[in-house]
Structures are given as C-alpha cells and as structure tokens.
Amino acid sequence: MSRADLIVSLVKAGSEGDQQLLRTTVEAMAAEERAKQHHQLADRLVQNLGEGKARPRSPEVVRSYDGGHGGLLYEIEPRRTLDSLFLADAVRAACGELIEEQHRRDLLRSYSLEPRHRLLLSGAPGNGKTSLAEALAHELMTPLFVVRYEAVIGSFLGETSGRLKRLFDFVRTHQCVLFFDEFDTLGKERGDTHETGEIKRVVSSLLLQIDALPSHVVVVTATNHAELLDRAVWRRFQLRLEMSAPTEAQKEKWFVRLQEKLGTPLGMAPKTLAAKLPAVNFSDLEQFCEDIQRRYVLALPNANLKQIVSERLKQWRSRFTVDQST
C-alpha cells in the first residue's frame, strides 16, 4: 500500500475509532519501515500499538535483525533462486503468479484486492519444499523465518497457543516469508480421537492466527503427510501445490547442468546416468552431484571424471539396495 493510502487509513481509523483498521495500518507501516532498514522507527510504531501503552515484548521471539537465534523463529538467508529449481510447470507458473502479485500489490489494492500469500506444499521428503520456500523469499527480497517447533510447543496447558500468538505478533510487522516445515506437527486433524483437547485448541488458534495475517506476510507450509492435516487447514491456503519426485527428463537436465558447471564431459551421457542412478528425490540428486564435485576437486589436476562418476554411481546403487532392504 502506498504511503498516502496508509496515512488516509490511519486518519480514518482514528476518526472512526476502528481499532482493527488502526492495527492493520500500523503493522503495514512498520513492515515498510523494516524493509527500508528503519528498525528503530518500526519498533517505536509497534511499541505504541495497542490499548494506550506499549505491548510487552517476549524474549522468546527472535529479532532476526539483531542477530538472535534462540527464540521461536530462526532466519535463513535466501540463496536459491526460482530458476535454479527443477519444478513442474504448474508449480512454477503458480509461484510466478504469487511473486507478481506480491510485487504489484499496490496496483491490486487500488482495486480493493489483496495478493495471495498462503501456500501449502505437500509431497514426499526431499522434493524441494524447503528449497521452494527459500526461493520465494529470494525472489520477494524478504527474510525467510522458519518456525522452531521445539521452542513453540510447550508442555503446559495453554503454553503453545500463547507462544503462537507471540510468534504471529512478531511476523505481522515484517515483510517476510514465514515457513512451517512438517506442518502436520501443528495442523493435525481435530477429529483424531488420539489427540488431546489441548492439541485441538492449538489447531484452532493456529488457523485463526493464519487467517489474521496481513498479505505482506507470505505463509508457506510444508507437509509430508497431507492426510494428517485438519480439513479446515486446506481451505485456508489459496495455493495448494504437490511437489513431485524428479522425472527422468528432470534428472537428465540436472546432469546436463552439472556437466556445464564442471566444464568437462562426465564420461557418461546425462541421459544414461539419469537412467542408472536410483535417485528417488531431488535431495538424492543434489547429494550425488555434490559427491562427484568433491571427489573431482580433490583429484585435481589429474582428475579422471569418468572414473569418479562410475565409482560414485556404484556406491550410490549399493546404498540404494541397502535402503530398500531395511
């Protein structure tokens, strides 16, 4: 939202006594100031937001810009780009649309529309859910905050809901990507007879907090077990994307990229290598290529890349056989 629109909203909230509009406007202003590195001004805005007095700050919340790493969140510096990822066409197109909407949110708001900002990723482990969250943060030029479940989930009644509230109070005043990995840890089906009333209350609190987030906070959640998620969780997310395992064509492109990076033939056609490597996810592909690069660098200047690739392939095929048998 433009600064002029924010000022108009602020005046309107004050004249009408609209506390919700006041809070939303001040949070948006604080997020803009943080994006400009004006952290002291942003802190003062947040401190003076509330019922006539500064709201207490929780020492458990990580203030990323102060370098803290011991609270409810930790920050990852986004390095991956969207172009560096191998994504299905539908996933790439959807992410591109979300990025465009975020970058052009002022135009959307001039038509009383908000950009989409809630994304649910599902699929087997190792297929790029965390990497996609990082890439979105990189493309949006915002911090990536990852929820620390060990700090959020408490052992006493009501503790977890209270921590979740403090977490969301913090992120509301930041332009950021908020990432929940293994979201089924918190978003479990409330009809599960094995879960306690406390867990059900946590899910309800979590969904309400997600609903109340402003659109400058892009929420990305990831789950390996979509069937465990509460049914109400699904409708909270405007984008629901399946992260699939690599196809043979994607494996081949991966090895073409590796060959270009090394600047020398692999000694085996990328298509042949893709067919021979029993990689079941993108994480396996990445580790295999890093393995080759390490051995290649250590063997310079007399590195025999064909031999290295053959040895690594043999080792990984053996490893896959062991994994299958256990």
Side-chain angles (χ1 to χ4, degrees), residues 46 51-52 72 111 124 131 141 147 167 197 208 224 242 286 300 324:
V46 175
E51 299 175 352
L72 303 176
Y111 287 86
S131 296
M141 296 177 287
V147 177
L167 183 157
L208 288 173
N224 302 329
E242 174 74 22
E286 186 171 48
L300 290 174
Q324 289 289 90

Side-chain angles (χ1 to χ4, degrees), residues 15-303:
S15 63
E16 297 179 358
D18 189 336
Q19 291 296 315
Q20 183 59 42
L21 178 60
L22 174 66
R23 178 175 296 279
T24 302
T25 303
V26 174
E27 286 171 345
M29 292 176 72
E32 280 196 2
E33 294 304 324
R34 289 196 197 283
K36 298 174 183 176
Q37 306 300 309
H38 299 161
H39 304 304
Q40 289 185 348
L41 176 56
D43 286 341
R44 289 174 62 189
L45 287 169
V46 175
Q47 287 171 2
N48 288 280
L49 181 62
E51 299 175 352
K53 61 180 181 179
R55 295 164 61 190
R57 295 191 200 178
S58 167
E60 293 181 342
V61 176
V62 169
R63 303 312 301 262
S64 140
Y65 298 108
D66 297 334
H69 294 283
L72 303 176
L73 303 165
Y74 65 89
E75 182 178 356
I76 293 177
E77 181 180 353
R79 297 182 181 273
R80 296 179 188 268
T81 65
L82 201 62
D83 288 339
S84 72
L85 303 182
F86 288 83
L87 301 170
D89 291 342
V91 173
R92 185 176 297 279
C95 291
E97 290 174 356
L98 183 144
I99 292 166
E100 181 187 16
E101 290 172 19
Q102 286 291 324
H103 283 316
R104 305 183 69 187
R105 53 182 173 266
D106 287 348
L107 174 61
L108 290 175
R109 286 169 180 164
S110 70
Y111 287 86
S112 300
L113 296 169
E114 289 292 326
R116 287 176 291 180
H117 64 111
R118 296 192 294 269
L119 174 62
L120 174 62
L121 305 177
S122 61
N127 285 322
K129 295 185 288 295
T130 303
S131 296
L132 182 53
E134 182 182 345
L136 287 173
H138 183 276
E139 300 298 332
L140 295 172
M141 296 177 287
T142 63
L144 172 61
F145 292 129
V146 182
V147 177
R148 297 180 62 236
Y149 292 128
E150 71 275 15
V152 171
I153 300 175
S155 57
F156 298 104
L157 188 67
E159 195 173 39
T160 301
S161 294
R163 291 178 180 178
L164 278 172
K165 183 180 184 303
R166 292 194 291 273
L167 183 157
F168 281 102
D169 283 346
F170 171 72
V171 299
R172 287 170 69 90
T173 60
H174 290 73
Q175 290 184 13
C176 63
V177 172
L178 177 64
F179 182 55
F180 288 85
D181 197 7
E182 299 183 8
F183 189 58
D184 44 275
T185 301
L186 287 178
K188 289 183 178 179
E189 168 61 57
R190 283 172 289 186
D192 188 343
T193 57
H194 297 289
E195 293 300 345
T196 65
E198 169 67 0
I199 289 295
K200 294 174 183 178
R201 283 189 290 273
V202 167
V203 175
S204 297
S205 174
L206 175 65
L207 296 181
L208 288 173
Q209 294 285 1
I210 289 176
D211 280 344
L213 279 176
S215 59
H216 60 254
V217 179
V218 177
V219 182
V220 180
T221 60
T223 178
N224 302 329
H225 303 286
E227 71 280 359
L228 297 180
L229 291 178
D230 188 274
R231 284 165 290 183
V233 168
W234 290 93
R235 64 182 178 84
R236 253 72 182 192
F237 292 89
Q238 299 132 326
L239 289 172
R240 298 181 286 272
L241 305 177
E242 174 74 22
M243 303 295 287
S244 55
T247 63
E248 289 299 311
Q250 287 175 325
K251 288 183 184 180
E252 182 182 353
K253 289 181 181 178
W254 193 289
F255 292 125
V256 168
R257 181 180 292 183
L258 173 64
Q259 189 167 256
E260 291 172 350
K261 182 176 181 179
L262 295 176
T264 184
L266 296 175
M268 186 180 299
K271 186 173 183 178
T272 302
L273 185 55
K276 289 187 175 183
L277 180 68
V280 295
N281 54 53
F282 286 103
S283 179
D284 283 349
L285 278 174
E286 186 171 48
Q287 290 182 44
F288 178 75
C289 291
E290 288 179 352
D291 202 7
I292 289 174
Q293 291 177 73
R294 275 191 291 267
R295 302 318 309 169
Y296 177 72
V297 169
L298 292 173
L300 290 174
N302 301 313

